[in-house]
Amino acid sequence: MNQPIKRRLLFGERMLLGDGTEPFNAVIPFRLRGTFKLADIQRALAQIQKKHPWLRALITHDEKNIPWFDVQETSISIPVRIIPRQHENQWQEESTKEWHTLFNYEKLPLIRFVWIKGEEVSDMLFAFHHCLCDGGSAMAFLDEFLKTLDNPSTDIGTENPILGIQDVVPAHILNSRKQQLKAKFIGRLAATAIRFIPVGKKAIDRQDDYLINWKVDEAVSQQLISYCKSNEVTVNTFLSAALLQAFRKVKGSAAFNKISCPVDIRRFATQIKNDHIFAFGLMIVVSSNEKMSFLENLRSMQSSVERKTSKLNPYITMMVMESGHDALNNFTKLLKNGKSSNDCMFSNLGRIQIPHEYKEFSVDTIFSPSVIGPLGNTTTMVVSTYRGKMDFSFVGSEGYLPYTEALAIRDEVMQIIKVQLEYIAVS
């Protein structure tokens, strides 16, 4: 039996949840070498559910139709779907299937598991609703799942869940009259502005969604990291610059020269621990200057990224959003039906700190997560590095970025990396 726990969804979570008719799902695929029993997988899933209350939560609505995370006394297990493994890229087909499968969140948890079962190699996927958590949280429960799958007696601790804004925003800020007025003022201003922004009658027709995944070998990944270190820029900035240049080359004047990059809120709000199940993100937008050389651009973008990041204030941002629940529908409509103004969302999860060798099995690879939802331009690139190799997941929809253009952008990004690394090797 569990303690019943409830909490109202925050503004950002409600926006991601939507009205339940359109999925906003994320998928983390990984490949294991070893043989597994269903009972052991189910037990490991039960252990991570035991640690994290929100992995047991359903969604209920109160009399004002506001959604709540609702953990009941008897918890419902994470559903497991098993299919025989037929080929290497099956996980990509299953990922796209999972993107499009709604969560029946009034009856089942906001997370499910797919086992693509092979003789010696299995591919496995965690699929979860994006309102539940972000990629950072998901990597934490993936780590715990692997530990307990390997050794059921591993102690993974218990999460002290975030029960509302008061668990994130320090009391002296949350209760400050000045900060409250500021948040309300900005919130009202934004809500009013949103009402007057012209939006189309209906959303853009997304058409077919696709996933393009590729890896960069260890030697090139290492060279790229060294290149960035010696030029005092982050890999993130390098890849953003390469992506912007690739979009410009492929799309010409139709490119926006804008990429939105999520910034991990845990860097600023230390109350949110690495293993907290939480989905609140901060964003910055990066652009490049086409009059500069690649390297000049990198340095100028790096200082712009640092300037923008230093101005991020998760506490006031959250307070502003929490004051704007009544503007949620207008805001959602704007995101769905408004004209796209950026090329893509780019997220770099960095090095995945999950062991590779376990007693009972080994982790062959962890693929970069993918995520897709109904709020505007779906074009997203996620990068992560595991066992020294960079892995790219490029997600898009024909209606926003045709598949052939996405392939051309991928090739161009790889070409830019190659040229820059050759250039440094020569110089």
Side-chain angles (χ1 to χ4, degrees), residues 26-59:
V27 178
I28 294 193
F30 52 102
R31 179 169 291 162
L32 303 185
R33 284 184 186 275
T35 49
F36 305 93
K37 293 194 188 82
L38 175 60
D40 295 338
I41 289 173
Q42 286 171 322
R43 194 200 50 244
L45 291 172
Q47 279 176 274
I48 63 169
Q49 267 190 306
K50 189 167 186 254
K51 170 174 176 172
H52 301 286
W54 305 133
L55 298 187
R56 314 192 290 267
L58 307 180
I59 298 272

Side-chain angles (χ1 to χ4, degrees), residues 72-92:
Q72 289 151 10
E73 277 179 37
T74 49
S75 66
I76 297 162
S77 306
I78 293 173
V80 178
R81 181 163 69 87
I82 306 173
I83 36 180
R85 187 172 190 265
Q86 280 146 349
H87 59 89
E88 284 281 288
N89 291 330
Q90 208 171 340
W91 66 269
Q92 299 191 17

Side-chain angles (χ1 to χ4, degrees), residues 88-281:
E88 284 281 288
N89 291 330
Q90 208 171 340
W91 66 269
Q92 299 191 17
E93 295 162 14
E94 294 306 322
S95 293
T96 47
K97 194 180 281 178
E98 286 299 324
W99 294 344
H100 299 134
T101 306
L102 283 167
F103 278 93
N104 179 5
Y105 51 62
E106 286 165 355
K107 298 196 170 84
L108 294 168
L110 293 149
I111 179 168
R112 49 182 180 247
F113 191 83
V114 181
W115 179 14
I116 306 170
K117 185 180 176 183
E119 287 295 313
E120 269 131 48
V121 175
S122 283
D123 291 329
M124 300 179 180
L125 321 174
F126 271 111
F128 55 94
H129 198 296
H130 198 9
C131 77
L132 180 70
C133 66
D134 60 8
S137 303
M139 285 300 166
F141 68 66
L142 170 57
D143 182 35
E144 294 158 357
F145 168 77
L146 293 168
K147 280 180 181 146
T148 53
L149 181 62
D150 186 49
N151 177 3
S153 59
T154 306
D155 180 16
I156 53 171
T158 311
E159 180 196 357
N160 210 353
I162 290 169
L163 296 172
I165 187 171
Q166 70 286 355
D167 288 347
V168 178
V169 181
H172 70 275
I173 298 174
L174 190 62
N175 302 326
S176 144
R177 186 92 185 101
K178 187 180 161 194
Q179 299 294 348
Q180 287 171 352
L181 288 170
K182 181 179 170 184
K184 247 199 176 65
F185 176 71
I186 299 171
R188 290 283 56 100
L189 207 63
T192 309
I194 287 163
R195 274 218 304 279
F196 293 106
I197 296 172
V199 293
K201 283 279 181 283
K202 61 183 202 308
I204 285 179
D205 179 14
R206 242 163 76 177
Q207 299 161 45
D208 287 341
D209 302 320
Y210 54 80
L211 166 65
I212 305 168
N213 175 271
W214 72 98
K215 282 188 190 297
V216 174
D217 71 34
E218 219 167 326
V220 175
S221 300
Q222 196 44 58
Q223 285 170 327
L224 181 54
I225 292 165
S226 304
Y227 172 100
C228 292
K229 275 200 178 123
S230 66
N231 285 299
E232 297 181 343
V233 297
T234 61
V235 172
N236 217 45
T237 303
F238 180 99
L239 293 172
S240 298
L243 205 47
L244 286 163
Q245 190 173 312
F247 265 95
R248 192 160 62 238
K249 170 120 190 235
V250 172
K251 293 193 74 78
S253 58
F256 295 107
N257 188 26
K258 272 188 192 161
I259 291 178
S260 51
C261 297
V263 178
D264 189 0
I265 189 171
R266 294 165 187 80
R267 278 169 54 183
F268 304 91
T270 48
Q271 299 81 341
I272 307 170
K273 302 293 175 251
N274 284 340
D275 62 351
H276 265 135
I277 300 297
F278 195 60
F280 190 86

Side-chain angles (χ1 to χ4, degrees), residues 34 71 98 108 119 177 195 235 246 262 282 292 301 308 312 319 325 375:
V71 179
E98 286 299 324
L108 294 168
E119 287 295 313
R177 186 92 185 101
R195 274 218 304 279
V235 172
L282 297 163
M292 291 180 176
M301 278 173 71
K308 287 177 174 173
L312 289 173
M319 288 170 72
H325 278 267
L375 302 178

Side-chain angles (χ1 to χ4, degrees), residues 291-360:
K291 294 191 176 71
M292 291 180 176
S293 74
F294 189 81
L295 197 53
E296 287 171 331
N297 219 339
L298 264 190
R299 294 189 174 127
S300 129
M301 278 173 71
Q302 186 62 46
S303 51
S304 151
V305 163
E306 282 160 16
R307 205 169 47 248
K308 287 177 174 173
T309 308
S310 69
K311 287 191 184 141
L312 289 173
N313 183 334
Y315 303 136
I316 200 77
T317 307
M318 272 187 99
M319 288 170 72
V320 166
M321 288 170 90
E322 286 314 291
S323 76
H325 278 267
D326 55 341
L328 184 78
N329 290 345
N330 286 335
F331 193 50
T332 304
K333 199 184 285 165
L334 173 70
L335 289 175
K336 278 188 183 175
N337 302 0
K339 273 195 166 57
S340 179
S341 63
N342 73 346
D343 293 302
C344 134
M345 193 172 99
F346 170 65
S347 175
N348 178 12
L349 291 176
R351 233 170 74 227
I352 297 176
Q353 309 276 10
I354 287 178
H356 145 58
E357 291 285 358
Y358 292 81
K359 283 208 303 290
E360 301 296 327

